[in-house]
């Protein structure tokens, strides 16, 4: 299963609660694809996965090796 990553480029409209769990310029791992409502599930800085508006993120293309290394590093940080 290919891992997908996005970078946060916008936090407008997220509100106080969810806005604190993402940071502009940070890279996040996604779970699944964008849903029919324009939402994407990411593992945010809380270590949990939540839905966010896809407009707040841009896709990041990485090599397979970089994807696996980043996935492992993010998993260690949230543990």
């Amino acid at each position: 299963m290919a891992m997908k990553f996005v970078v946060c480029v916008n936090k407008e409209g997220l509100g106080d609660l969810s806005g604190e769990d993402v940071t502009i310029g940070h890279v996040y791992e996604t779970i699944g694809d964008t849903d029919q409502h324009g939402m994407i599930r990411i593992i945010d800085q809380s270590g949990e996965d939540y839905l966010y508006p896809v407009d707040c993120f841009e896709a990041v293309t990485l090599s397979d090796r970089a994807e696996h290394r980043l996935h492992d590093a993010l998993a260690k940080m949230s543990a």
Side-chain angles (χ1 to χ4, degrees):
M1 181 175 157
M3 289 172 260
K4 295 180 184 177
F5 295 91
V6 293
V7 63
C8 180
V9 295
N10 177 19
K11 289 176 48 167
E12 290 180 26
L14 291 183
D16 292 336
L17 281 175
S18 58
E20 294 177 4
D21 290 325
V22 294
T23 302
I24 291 177
H26 282 222
V27 176
Y28 299 95
E29 188 169 356
T30 66
I31 299 175
D33 295 320
T34 304
D35 71 10
Q36 66 270 21
H37 303 290
M39 303 292 278
I40 190 165
R41 186 170 295 278
I42 67 163
I43 302 171
D44 65 18
Q45 287 174 221
S46 73
E48 299 294 325
D49 59 280
Y50 293 100
L51 287 170
Y52 288 91
V54 72
D55 293 344
C56 293
F57 301 90
E58 288 292 330
V60 176
T61 303
L62 302 170
S63 68
D64 288 342
R65 183 172 188 264
E67 283 182 352
H68 285 85
R69 292 185 71 196
L70 182 56
H71 168 81
D72 292 345
L74 292 172
K76 285 180 186 176
M77 286 177 54
S78 65

